[in-house]
Amino acid sequence: MLENLYWDAGTARLPPRLLPRLFKGRIRGPVFLPHRRPGPGKAVDARDVCPDTGLVRLSYGQARALLDEHTAIGGPGTGWDLHEFRHSALRRLGQAGASLLMLMAKSRHKKPENLRRYFKPSPEAIAELTSLLAPGDTGR
């Protein structure tokens, strides 16, 4: 199943122009690719192979090691893990007032309880919601 990814302009400006460097002019196939082709006899799903370069999508282990390497401050093993990386955007969206349903759609979580820790509406959002019940409100 193909899925759409949604990025905004801020993502494209990641230093040093990370996404254009990752895409290298490609318009299809996996985004995160290693520098080498897979070894002979390695069974790979066709969806994981870039049709333009023949390179295979990074494995989970490779992605984890690269993320740690590039975010570590205090030496190996001190950087972000993939779970933190994935959910940092959900936390920011939740703090910005995104609804629980929108967070579920963005993250593809099936159960709301798995996302509740990211859904922390601001006091302003709660006040705005409460004002909907104010006396004289024509929206009733």
Side-chain angles (χ1 to χ4, degrees), residues 29-58:
V31 174
F32 302 103
L33 300 171
H35 299 290
R36 300 182 290 174
R37 294 185 189 280
K42 178 153 172 91
V44 178
D45 189 309
R47 294 179 308 168
D48 291 335
V49 178
C50 174
D52 300 324
T53 65
L55 296 173
V56 178
R57 176 186 329 270
L58 279 180

Short mmCIF file of all heavy atoms in Angstrom, two decimals, residues 29-58:
data_model
loop_
_atom_site.label_atom_id
_atom_site.label_comp_id
_atom_site.label_asym_id
_atom_site.label_seq_id
_atom_site.Cartn_x
_atom_site.Cartn_y
_atom_site.Cartn_z
N GLY A 29 10.46 5.79 -5.00
CA GLY A 29 11.28 4.85 -4.27
C GLY A 29 11.53 5.31 -2.84
O GLY A 29 11.08 6.37 -2.42
N PRO A 30 12.25 4.49 -2.05
CA PRO A 30 12.53 4.82 -0.66
C PRO A 30 13.34 6.11 -0.53
O PRO A 30 14.13 6.44 -1.41
CB PRO A 30 13.35 3.63 -0.16
CG PRO A 30 13.23 2.57 -1.19
CD PRO A 30 12.84 3.23 -2.47
N VAL A 31 13.13 6.82 0.55
CA VAL A 31 13.87 8.07 0.78
C VAL A 31 15.24 7.78 1.36
O VAL A 31 16.24 8.30 0.90
CB VAL A 31 13.08 9.00 1.74
CG1 VAL A 31 13.90 10.22 2.09
CG2 VAL A 31 11.76 9.40 1.10
N PHE A 32 15.30 6.96 2.39
CA PHE A 32 16.55 6.73 3.11
C PHE A 32 17.25 5.50 2.56
O PHE A 32 16.81 4.37 2.76
CB PHE A 32 16.28 6.59 4.60
CG PHE A 32 15.60 7.81 5.16
CD1 PHE A 32 14.25 7.80 5.44
CD2 PHE A 32 16.32 8.97 5.38
CE1 PHE A 32 13.62 8.92 5.93
CE2 PHE A 32 15.70 10.11 5.87
CZ PHE A 32 14.35 10.08 6.16
N LEU A 33 18.36 5.74 1.86
CA LEU A 33 19.09 4.67 1.19
C LEU A 33 20.51 4.57 1.73
O LEU A 33 21.12 5.59 2.05
CB LEU A 33 19.16 4.94 -0.31
CG LEU A 33 17.83 5.05 -1.05
CD1 LEU A 33 18.06 5.54 -2.47
CD2 LEU A 33 17.10 3.73 -1.05
N PRO A 34 21.06 3.35 1.78
CA PRO A 34 22.47 3.20 2.18
C PRO A 34 23.37 3.56 1.00
O PRO A 34 22.90 3.89 -0.09
CB PRO A 34 22.57 1.72 2.52
CG PRO A 34 21.56 1.07 1.65
CD PRO A 34 20.44 2.07 1.53
N HIS A 35 24.66 3.49 1.23
CA HIS A 35 25.62 3.82 0.18
C HIS A 35 25.97 2.63 -0.69
O HIS A 35 26.58 2.79 -1.74
CB HIS A 35 26.91 4.38 0.80
CG HIS A 35 26.67 5.64 1.57
ND1 HIS A 35 26.34 6.83 0.97
CD2 HIS A 35 26.67 5.88 2.89
CE1 HIS A 35 26.16 7.75 1.89
NE2 HIS A 35 26.36 7.20 3.07
N ARG A 36 25.59 1.41 -0.26
CA ARG A 36 25.96 0.20 -1.01
C ARG A 36 24.73 -0.58 -1.40
O ARG A 36 23.68 -0.49 -0.77
CB ARG A 36 26.86 -0.69 -0.16
CG ARG A 36 28.14 -0.03 0.26
CD ARG A 36 28.99 -0.98 1.05
NE ARG A 36 28.38 -1.21 2.36
CZ ARG A 36 28.81 -2.07 3.24
NH1 ARG A 36 29.85 -2.80 2.98
NH2 ARG A 36 28.21 -2.22 4.40
N ARG A 37 24.87 -1.39 -2.43
CA ARG A 37 23.80 -2.30 -2.85
C ARG A 37 23.78 -3.49 -1.88
O ARG A 37 24.77 -3.79 -1.24
CB ARG A 37 24.05 -2.80 -4.27
CG ARG A 37 23.97 -1.71 -5.30
CD ARG A 37 24.12 -2.31 -6.70
NE ARG A 37 24.26 -1.28 -7.70
CZ ARG A 37 23.25 -0.58 -8.20
NH1 ARG A 37 22.04 -0.82 -7.81
NH2 ARG A 37 23.46 0.35 -9.11
N PRO A 38 22.63 -4.19 -1.79
CA PRO A 38 22.58 -5.36 -0.90
C PRO A 38 23.48 -6.47 -1.41
O PRO A 38 23.77 -6.57 -2.60
CB PRO A 38 21.10 -5.78 -0.95
CG PRO A 38 20.59 -5.22 -2.22
CD PRO A 38 21.38 -3.97 -2.51
N GLY A 39 23.92 -7.30 -0.49
CA GLY A 39 24.79 -8.41 -0.84
C GLY A 39 24.07 -9.44 -1.70
O GLY A 39 22.84 -9.48 -1.75
N PRO A 40 24.82 -10.28 -2.41
CA PRO A 40 24.20 -11.29 -3.26
C PRO A 40 23.39 -12.28 -2.44
O PRO A 40 23.77 -12.65 -1.33
CB PRO A 40 25.39 -11.97 -3.94
CG PRO A 40 26.57 -11.63 -3.13
CD PRO A 40 26.27 -10.35 -2.41
N GLY A 41 22.27 -12.66 -2.96
CA GLY A 41 21.42 -13.64 -2.30
C GLY A 41 20.53 -13.06 -1.22
O GLY A 41 19.78 -13.78 -0.57
N LYS A 42 20.61 -11.76 -0.96
CA LYS A 42 19.77 -11.14 0.07
C LYS A 42 18.37 -10.95 -0.50
O LYS A 42 18.18 -10.31 -1.52
CB LYS A 42 20.35 -9.80 0.50
CG LYS A 42 19.49 -9.09 1.51
CD LYS A 42 20.31 -8.18 2.37
CE LYS A 42 19.44 -7.34 3.25
NZ LYS A 42 19.17 -7.89 4.52
N ALA A 43 17.37 -11.55 0.17
CA ALA A 43 15.99 -11.43 -0.27
C ALA A 43 15.45 -10.06 0.14
O ALA A 43 15.47 -9.69 1.31
CB ALA A 43 15.14 -12.53 0.35
N VAL A 44 14.96 -9.29 -0.84
CA VAL A 44 14.48 -7.94 -0.59
C VAL A 44 13.14 -7.76 -1.29
O VAL A 44 12.98 -8.16 -2.44
CB VAL A 44 15.49 -6.90 -1.13
CG1 VAL A 44 14.99 -5.49 -0.92
CG2 VAL A 44 16.84 -7.08 -0.49
N ASP A 45 12.19 -7.15 -0.59
CA ASP A 45 10.89 -6.84 -1.18
C ASP A 45 11.08 -5.77 -2.26
O ASP A 45 11.83 -4.81 -2.06
CB ASP A 45 9.95 -6.32 -0.09
CG ASP A 45 8.52 -6.18 -0.56
OD1 ASP A 45 8.29 -5.55 -1.62
OD2 ASP A 45 7.63 -6.70 0.12
N ALA A 46 10.41 -5.92 -3.38
CA ALA A 46 10.56 -4.97 -4.50
C ALA A 46 10.21 -3.55 -4.09
O ALA A 46 10.77 -2.59 -4.62
CB ALA A 46 9.69 -5.42 -5.66
N ARG A 47 9.31 -3.36 -3.11
CA ARG A 47 8.95 -2.01 -2.66
C ARG A 47 10.08 -1.32 -1.93
O ARG A 47 10.10 -0.10 -1.79
CB ARG A 47 7.73 -2.05 -1.74
CG ARG A 47 6.46 -2.49 -2.44
CD ARG A 47 5.31 -2.53 -1.47
NE ARG A 47 5.70 -3.34 -0.30
CZ ARG A 47 5.03 -3.39 0.83
NH1 ARG A 47 3.96 -2.67 0.99
NH2 ARG A 47 5.43 -4.15 1.82
N ASP A 48 11.05 -2.11 -1.45
CA ASP A 48 12.17 -1.55 -0.70
C ASP A 48 13.36 -1.21 -1.58
O ASP A 48 14.38 -0.76 -1.09
CB ASP A 48 12.61 -2.53 0.38
CG ASP A 48 11.57 -2.68 1.47
OD1 ASP A 48 10.77 -1.74 1.66
OD2 ASP A 48 11.56 -3.73 2.14
N VAL A 49 13.23 -1.41 -2.88
CA VAL A 49 14.33 -1.14 -3.81
C VAL A 49 14.02 0.12 -4.60
O VAL A 49 12.93 0.27 -5.16
CB VAL A 49 14.54 -2.32 -4.77
CG1 VAL A 49 15.65 -2.03 -5.77
CG2 VAL A 49 14.83 -3.60 -4.00
N CYS A 50 14.98 1.04 -4.66
CA CYS A 50 14.82 2.23 -5.47
C CYS A 50 14.91 1.83 -6.93
O CYS A 50 15.92 1.26 -7.36
CB CYS A 50 15.89 3.27 -5.13
SG CYS A 50 15.82 4.70 -6.22
N PRO A 51 13.87 2.11 -7.74
CA PRO A 51 13.90 1.70 -9.14
C PRO A 51 14.94 2.46 -9.97
O PRO A 51 15.34 2.00 -11.03
CB PRO A 51 12.48 2.01 -9.64
CG PRO A 51 11.93 3.00 -8.68
CD PRO A 51 12.62 2.78 -7.38
N ASP A 52 15.41 3.59 -9.47
CA ASP A 52 16.38 4.39 -10.22
C ASP A 52 17.82 4.02 -9.91
O ASP A 52 18.68 4.06 -10.78
CB ASP A 52 16.17 5.88 -9.93
CG ASP A 52 14.77 6.35 -10.31
OD1 ASP A 52 14.24 5.87 -11.33
OD2 ASP A 52 14.21 7.18 -9.58
N THR A 53 18.10 3.66 -8.66
CA THR A 53 19.49 3.40 -8.26
C THR A 53 19.77 1.94 -7.94
O THR A 53 20.93 1.54 -7.90
CB THR A 53 19.84 4.22 -6.99
OG1 THR A 53 19.04 3.74 -5.91
CG2 THR A 53 19.62 5.71 -7.22
N GLY A 54 18.72 1.14 -7.67
CA GLY A 54 18.92 -0.25 -7.26
C GLY A 54 19.30 -0.39 -5.80
O GLY A 54 19.51 -1.50 -5.32
N LEU A 55 19.39 0.72 -5.07
CA LEU A 55 19.73 0.67 -3.65
C LEU A 55 18.49 0.29 -2.85
O LEU A 55 17.37 0.54 -3.26
CB LEU A 55 20.28 2.01 -3.18
CG LEU A 55 21.59 2.44 -3.82
CD1 LEU A 55 21.95 3.86 -3.41
CD2 LEU A 55 22.70 1.47 -3.46
N VAL A 56 18.71 -0.31 -1.69
CA VAL A 56 17.63 -0.82 -0.85
C VAL A 56 17.43 0.10 0.35
O VAL A 56 18.39 0.64 0.90
CB VAL A 56 17.95 -2.25 -0.38
CG1 VAL A 56 16.87 -2.78 0.53
CG2 VAL A 56 18.12 -3.16 -1.58
N ARG A 57 16.18 0.25 0.77
CA ARG A 57 15.83 1.07 1.94
C ARG A 57 16.70 0.68 3.13
O ARG A 57 17.02 -0.48 3.33
CB ARG A 57 14.36 0.82 2.26
CG ARG A 57 13.84 1.49 3.49
CD ARG A 57 12.42 1.09 3.83
NE ARG A 57 11.57 0.76 2.71
CZ ARG A 57 10.80 1.65 2.06
NH1 ARG A 57 10.77 2.89 2.44
NH2 ARG A 57 10.06 1.26 1.05
N LEU A 58 17.07 1.68 3.93
CA LEU A 58 17.84 1.41 5.15
C LEU A 58 17.08 0.46 6.06
O LEU A 58 15.86 0.57 6.20
CB LEU A 58 18.06 2.70 5.94
CG LEU A 58 19.17 3.64 5.50
CD1 LEU A 58 19.19 4.84 6.42
CD2 LEU A 58 20.51 2.96 5.49
#
